[in-house]
């Protein structure tokens, strides 16, 4: 199978939708309330239940409310907390496809994914040195791939290209950056807007897909029920967060009715 066939097989469908589980602040975060993980788990479970009710194809667990994020190595307490919460989610949903995004440490993401039997990670930085809001991000895909090989070669790496809230040290055409991420063995590339919830540039998705026709190209932000048809002329899947929340606000709870309406739209597009 080529990469796109493997991608579809992982989710059991074409054009999979990955619903975001944005965790409340974890221990160590500037916004952590110091009360332990009970409330974090309860909030995560409620969002997962709503996403499952609405029929998403997979979920991704992310420490979204921990800004600013560690740009190279996540803190020990963050890794520990993410592992505990993700394992609770896995216990309740043993057959649900799951991803881990521990911002912004792909090594820790792979470690957590292995421990909780998640199938993929989102590597917000993969193959280019970048300047992020948290500082200089240096990536060595060869080291990450060797670590995955050592720990769990089955875990897929979905790699962002020109990720939001950052800029590469050397700006190149987005399709060239995407080609290099694919060449260095990422299992999918992700094209996003400039900020959380920001609509992705459809021309960027089109350029990348034209260069990589048999390779998974995902939308990383801004997908909604109104623009899904346009994006899925080119994209092979998407992470969806903000548009599935109450009032379309990334900081709110997941709205199960919005999820259900969105997935009904996806069924018609797939048909």
């Amino acid at each position: 199978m080529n990469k796109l066939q493997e991608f579809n097989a992982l989710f059991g469908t074409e054009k999979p939708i990955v619903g975001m589980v944005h965790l409340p602040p974890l221990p160590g975060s500037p916004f952590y309330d110091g009360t332990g993980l009970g409330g974090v788990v309860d909030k995560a479970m409620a969002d997962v239940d709503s996403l499952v009710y609405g029929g998403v194809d997979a979920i991704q667990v992310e420490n979204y409310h921990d800004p600013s994020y560690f740009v190279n190595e996540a803190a020990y307490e963050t890794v520990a907390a993410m592992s505990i919460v993700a394992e609770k989610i896995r216990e309740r949903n043993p057959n649900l496809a799951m991803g881990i995004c521990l911002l912004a440490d792909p090594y820790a993401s792979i470690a957590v994914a292995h421990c909780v039997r998640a199938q993929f990670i989102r590597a917000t930085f993969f193959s280019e040195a970048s300047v992020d809001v948290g500082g200089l991000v240096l990536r060595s895909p060869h080291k990450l791939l060797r670590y995955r090989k050592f720990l769990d070669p089955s875990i897929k790496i979905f790699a962002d290209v020109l990720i939001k809230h950052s800029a590469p040290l050397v700006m190149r055409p987005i399709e060239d950056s995407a080609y290099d991420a694919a060449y260095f063995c990422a299992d999918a590339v992700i094209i996003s807007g400039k900020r959380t919830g920001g609509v992705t540039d459809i021309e960027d998705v089109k350029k990348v897909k034209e260069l990589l026709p048999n390779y998974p190209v995902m939308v990383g932000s801004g997908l909604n029920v109104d623009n899904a048809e346009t994006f899925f002329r080119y994209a092979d899947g998407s992470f969806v967060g903000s548009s599935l929340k109450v009032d379309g606000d990334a900081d709110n709870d997941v709205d199960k009715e919005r999820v259900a309406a969105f997935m009904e739209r996806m069924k018609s597009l797939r048909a």
Side-chain angles (χ1 to χ4, degrees):
M1 293 190 292
N2 62 34
K3 287 288 188 182
L4 182 54
Q5 291 170 327
E6 291 180 3
F7 178 82
N8 292 336
L10 169 63
F11 297 105
T13 185
E14 295 182 349
K15 315 291 187 182
I17 297 299
V18 182
M20 295 301 302
V21 181
H22 291 145
L23 298 182
L26 300 180
S29 164
F31 302 110
Y32 173 59
D33 63 10
T35 61
L37 291 178
V40 175
V41 171
D42 290 344
K43 170 66 164 59
M45 290 297 193
D47 281 352
V48 172
D49 289 347
S50 294
L51 291 167
V52 171
Y53 169 89
V56 297
D57 304 299
I59 62 168
Q60 178 175 275
V61 185
E62 180 179 294
N63 59 321
Y64 171 75
H65 289 285
D66 279 355
S68 71
Y69 315 106
F70 288 85
V71 295
N72 285 299
E73 295 181 6
Y76 303 133
E77 64 272 16
T78 307
V79 181
M82 175 71 83
S83 300
I84 291 170
V85 177
E87 176 61 18
K88 295 291 186 181
I89 294 171
R90 172 54 81 207
E91 288 175 355
R92 182 179 292 187
N93 302 273
N95 300 315
L96 181 64
M98 179 191 292
I100 299 294
C101 183
L102 206 163
L103 296 162
D105 184 342
Y107 297 92
S109 296
I110 286 177
V112 174
H114 172 63
C115 290
V116 304
R117 303 170 303 287
Q119 290 90 343
F120 62 93
I121 70 161
R122 181 173 181 173
T124 52
F125 298 93
F126 179 68
S127 58
E128 292 181 322
S130 301
V131 178
D132 178 73
V133 292
L136 181 63
V137 184
L138 300 177
R139 280 292 173 261
S140 301
H142 57 289
K143 293 181 180 178
L144 182 62
L145 293 169
R146 283 162 173 75
Y147 180 66
R148 178 179 68 169
K149 178 73 172 179
F150 154 72
L151 190 61
D152 193 339
S154 72
I155 295 171
K156 304 296 185 185
I157 298 172
F158 298 162
D160 276 281
V161 178
L162 307 185
I163 179 64
K164 51 185 176 282
H165 306 296
S166 70
L169 291 184
V170 178
M171 181 61 73
R172 298 188 296 155
I174 192 168
E175 62 269 31
D176 292 348
S177 295
Y179 181 89
D180 283 349
Y183 181 81
F184 284 107
C185 303
D187 297 288
V189 292
I190 307 165
I191 313 300
S192 295
K194 295 184 181 300
R195 59 192 60 84
T196 298
V199 177
T200 301
D201 188 336
I202 188 63
E203 291 301 317
D204 287 344
V205 179
K206 184 178 179 181
K207 290 174 186 175
V208 173
K209 192 58 188 175
E210 287 176 346
L211 186 61
L212 300 170
N214 296 314
Y215 188 85
V217 177
M218 302 185 72
V219 175
S221 67
L223 196 77
N224 58 53
V225 71
D226 296 319
N227 64 22
E229 181 176 4
T230 299
F231 276 101
F232 279 121
R233 293 172 186 166
Y234 309 104
D236 301 297
S238 181
F239 294 88
V240 186
S242 300
S243 65
L244 303 183
K245 303 292 190 73
V246 173
D247 297 328
D249 187 332
D251 291 332
N252 289 340
D253 295 340
V254 173
D255 183 336
K256 65 181 181 180
E257 300 303 332
R258 289 177 74 106
V259 181
F262 186 91
M263 293 310 298
E264 280 299 315
R265 179 63 174 147
M266 284 306 305
K267 289 178 183 178
S268 68
L269 292 178
R270 290 166 180 165

